[in-house]
Amino acid sequence: MNTLRRFYRLSRPFWQARQQWLAWLMLATIIGLGLLIVQINVLINSWSKTFYDTLASFDTAGLYALAGEYALYLGLYVLIFVALDYLRKGLVLRWRQAMTGRLIDAWLGDQAFYRLGLSGEPDNPDQRIAQDVDLMVDLSIELVASLVVNLAQVGAFVVILWNLSGVQTFHLFGEPFTVHGYLLWIVLAYTLIGSVLTHLIGKPLHALNYAREQREADFRAGLLRKRDHAEQIALYRGETVERQHLAQRFQAIAENWRQLMGRERDLSLFTVAYQRFSLIVPVFAALPAFMAKTITLGGLMQIRSAFNAVHDSLSWFIKLYHKLVRWSAALERLDQFEQAIAASRQQVIKAPQGHCLCLQGLTVCRPDGSHLLRGLKLRVGQGQWVRLAGHSGLGKSTLLRTLQGLWPHCTGDWQLPPGRSLLLPQQPYLPQMSLRGLLAYPQVRSIDDVQLVDVLGKVGLGGLIGQLDRQVEWERVLSGGEQQRVSLARALLYRPDTLYLDEATSQLDIGSAQRLLGMLKRELPGCTVVAVTHQEGLAGVFGKTLELEPV
């Protein structure tokens, strides 16, 4: 039931949306085509009796006519199956696109992606968004459509099997027992026993598949981190450590894989034997009637076909058990992710905006509740430049993140200045995009080349003017100082009302840093600046210094 509740919570936003009427139409068409396949199977079942009876009577002309009839059924089946598969893939894409967009919006909204990292983030959110959504959507469509079609097939063939079974009398302990539709009761009992045993044997596969997704994602994430930090690893010559680290992560995959192999081996031993044995069960069950000559060879083949159709449909749970456990594991991971995002929103603290930045007894805490900075009082007028001073590790950077609305662990009263704000961290974020997009970040609007060229010249990156459309991994191309110059260029283009600098010039020499900050003062005359810097030579740039004391 927990799995079904998770499925309802995750699928409801898509299927309840009014604009998804086309998705409902596609789903109905998929089911309708599946029901047509059931009808063709019913016709083929009836055809099989006629065919084997004709074969037994050596009617050559009749066999040719029946072969043509079967070719027609086969052609229709192929066309319907291909159309059904095409529609199913289209619906999967539509649902996945909507669900991926919703999850990304929720993950990026209100800086949830950042807050999750502060309070026990679920493992590998990238894998959950990319792979688990794909797995859940694809299997959901397949499972729901196949369940409906199999139920319809049961309904169609149950009547046929009941009528073919007739009335049989058995003797038990000398007493006669008359059973109506005995073949139907045999298939029901056989399938029920098989389903129960399948679940008992395969139940541990859920946890193993959950662990598999996690360990595979951990390994991929480890590989990506090695690439992202290739220079640092190379400078340390840390290849041996990294090799051991990756080997440990892959060993976790291998251990999980061995457990999966063992459990799936046990399940396959049962299910393969179960499926193969089911092929002969109807023949032996109907053999007494055939030997008594109450049914023909064609009748025996029709019974076998109908029995297998009912058995095949009732064995839906057994046939798809491997997919069901992967589906339930994906549902659990996505549900955990959504709940974690919802919980992170409760940590959002939005301070009121006033005419200036004003702190009145602000206390900044660690996640465990202990104090980093306590009772802070500060008033910063519009256009003022303030430097936050204090020894390393005191909590200055955390204070900036609190003022930016990112750090939720704080108490007290404060108000934020009006307008837009921007925080420039010590290590700028340089996504792989064109230089013009890199400079404009985080803005989405396009900026004309004249303005971009002017800004590059002002921050000392004139050598990059001819590379505006170049798209490379800029983090590897630019030095640390050049990266910080790009960050300052962003401030010039964004033109915030309040600018927070967190060691934003730490990789520049004092002379260059002084010139760039002086340029910022001239270009952004009304901008309030609050900065953290350990470069004592920059103290004269700021009109006010706040000395922070340890708790």
Side-chain angles (χ1 to χ4, degrees):
M1 291 303 295
N2 285 335
T3 299
L4 293 178
R5 280 194 289 268
R6 291 187 186 113
F7 175 67
Y8 177 74
R9 282 196 298 268
L10 291 167
S11 60
R12 180 177 58 185
F14 175 78
W15 292 102
Q16 284 190 348
R18 289 186 177 181
Q19 65 269 28
Q20 297 303 339
W21 62 269
L22 181 58
W24 280 103
L25 179 61
M26 293 172 73
L27 180 61
T29 305
I30 289 168
I31 293 173
L33 291 173
L35 296 179
L36 283 178
I37 289 178
V38 172
Q39 182 59 39
I40 291 175
N41 288 335
V42 171
L43 293 173
I44 291 176
N45 176 264
S46 177
W47 172 91
S48 66
K49 180 181 184 305
T50 306
F51 177 80
Y52 283 105
D53 284 341
T54 304
L55 183 64
S57 64
F58 298 98
D59 183 357
T60 304
L63 287 174
Y64 282 126
L66 288 168
E69 183 181 344
Y70 185 79
L72 176 62
Y73 294 149
L74 181 61
L76 289 173
Y77 182 93
V78 170
L79 290 175
I80 293 171
F81 183 86
V82 170
L84 188 153
D85 186 61
Y86 182 82
L87 276 176
R88 185 190 67 80
K89 289 176 180 176
L91 181 55
V92 166
L93 176 61
R94 187 181 184 87
W95 187 0
R96 182 186 177 188
Q97 190 173 23
M99 188 171 182
T100 300
R102 180 172 62 82
L103 275 180
I104 289 176
D105 288 344
W107 184 51
L108 295 179
D110 292 326
Q111 291 87 39
F113 65 97
Y114 176 79
R115 291 189 175 84
L116 285 173
L118 303 176
S119 57
E121 178 183 51
D123 65 273
N124 304 293
D126 54 320
Q127 187 259 7
R128 297 182 189 235
I129 294 174
Q131 185 171 321
D132 287 334
V133 169
D134 179 33
L135 191 63
M136 175 219 156
V137 170
D138 193 12
L139 289 179
S140 293
I141 297 295
E142 179 182 350
L143 293 172
V144 170
S146 64
L147 177 61
V148 173
V149 170
N150 277 279
L151 288 175
Q153 183 154 293
V154 167
F157 281 94
V158 156
V159 176
I160 295 173
L161 189 59
W162 179 276
N163 292 331
L164 291 173
S165 300
V167 180
Q168 296 293 327
T169 301
F170 302 92
H171 290 81
L172 186 62
F173 303 114
E175 295 293 328
F177 290 90
T178 301
V179 180
H180 295 266
Y182 80 102
L183 291 174
L184 179 60
W185 300 116
I186 290 175
V187 71
L188 290 174
Y190 183 71
T191 307
L192 178 61
I193 293 171
S195 299
V196 171
L197 291 176
T198 297
H199 181 61
L200 291 176
I201 298 170
K203 188 176 181 181
L205 285 172
H206 172 86
L208 290 172
N209 275 283
Y210 183 98
R212 175 191 176 186
E213 300 297 335
Q214 179 180 354
R215 295 180 187 185
E216 291 280 3
D218 286 343
F219 182 64
R220 288 195 301 271
L223 291 170
L224 287 172
R225 291 189 184 100
K226 305 301 177 277
R227 183 176 181 276
D228 291 341
H229 299 91
E231 182 178 12
Q232 293 94 323
I233 294 170
L235 292 174
Y236 277 110
R237 297 191 181 279
E239 295 87 353
T240 301
V241 176
E242 301 300 336
R243 190 179 294 112
Q244 291 176 351
H245 181 249
L246 290 174
Q248 289 171 358
R249 290 205 167 182
F250 192 81
Q251 181 62 30
I253 292 175
E255 290 173 0
N256 171 262
W257 189 259
R258 291 190 189 97
Q259 295 178 47
L260 272 169
M261 286 170 58
R263 182 55 61 175
E264 289 179 346
R265 175 203 60 208
D266 297 341
L267 185 60
S268 294
L269 282 172
F270 172 75
T271 55
V272 172
Y274 170 84
Q275 294 290 349
R276 298 306 300 177
F277 188 67
S278 66
L279 298 176
I280 200 66
V281 167
V283 175
F284 280 103
L287 200 57
F290 179 72
M291 299 302 292
K293 298 184 179 180
T294 57
I295 58 173
T296 63
L297 176 62
L300 180 62
M301 293 299 101
Q302 187 181 21
I303 287 174
R304 180 185 178 186
S305 175
F307 185 98
N308 285 334
V310 174
H311 168 262
D312 191 60
S313 296
L314 291 177
S315 297
W316 176 86
F317 179 78
I318 299 171
K319 289 187 302 178
L320 298 177
Y321 193 84
H322 290 85
K323 293 184 177 181
L324 283 167
V325 292
R326 293 194 69 196
W327 177 69
S328 64
L331 287 174
E332 184 176 355
R333 289 175 61 77
L334 288 172
D335 190 54
Q336 288 175 347
F337 187 49
E338 281 206 335
Q339 290 186 32
I341 292 175
S344 74
R345 287 210 173 93
Q346 299 176 4
Q347 300 176 346
V348 176
I349 297 176
K350 293 186 177 180
Q353 280 192 339
H355 62 280
C356 67
L357 175 62
C358 185
L359 312 183
Q360 298 174 346
L362 174 64
T363 296
V364 180
C365 305
R366 298 181 180 87
D368 62 5
S370 60
H371 292 173
L372 267 173
L373 299 168
R374 183 167 55 196
L376 297 178
K377 294 184 179 180
L378 176 66
R379 182 183 181 86
V380 183
Q382 188 68 29
Q384 277 190 309
W385 281 52
V386 177
R387 182 172 73 100
L388 303 179
H391 66 75
S392 181
L394 188 63
K396 302 184 295 298
S397 295
T398 305
L399 174 58
L400 288 186
R401 282 150 181 76
T402 302
L403 299 179
Q404 185 70 347
L406 294 175
W407 189 257
H409 309 292
C410 55
T411 60
D413 296 323
W414 74 98
Q415 69 176 21
L416 299 180
R420 301 192 303 172
S421 65
L422 181 67
L423 192 155
L424 302 185
Q426 182 176 5
Q427 180 61 47
Y429 172 55
L430 303 179
Q432 186 174 349
M433 56 174 59
S434 67
L435 181 59
R436 65 174 68 253
L438 198 72
L439 292 169
Y441 192 90
Q443 302 178 88
V444 293
R445 68 180 182 90
S446 60
I447 299 175
D448 63 78
D449 289 4
V450 174
Q451 193 175 358
L452 292 174
V453 169
D454 179 56
V455 165
L456 284 173
K458 287 176 179 176
V459 298
L461 293 176
L464 298 178
I465 288 176
Q467 303 183 47
L468 288 175
D469 293 314
R470 187 183 179 195
Q471 183 168 324
V472 295
E473 293 185 62
W474 293 102
E475 194 174 54
R476 295 171 180 263
V477 173
L478 302 178
S479 68
E482 288 174 326
Q483 292 181 33
Q484 290 191 333
R485 290 174 187 269
V486 168
S487 187
L488 294 171
R490 288 170 172 170
L492 291 177
L493 293 169
Y494 190 74
R495 306 193 68 81
D497 298 286
T498 304
L499 181 63
Y500 300 102
L501 304 178
D502 186 7
E503 300 286 1
T505 59
S506 61
Q507 299 193 57
L508 298 168
D509 62 84
I510 294 298
S512 297
Q514 287 176 335
R515 286 193 296 273
L516 285 168
L517 292 181
M519 179 270 299
L520 277 181
K521 270 192 173 182
R522 294 191 302 272
E523 296 295 326
L524 305 174
C527 180
T528 302
V529 176
V530 180
V532 171
T533 176
H534 287 100
Q535 295 171 293
E536 292 297 331
L538 299 180
V541 178
F542 299 88
K544 184 177 183 178
T545 297
L546 175 64
E547 290 286 346
L548 299 175
E549 300 294 336
V551 175

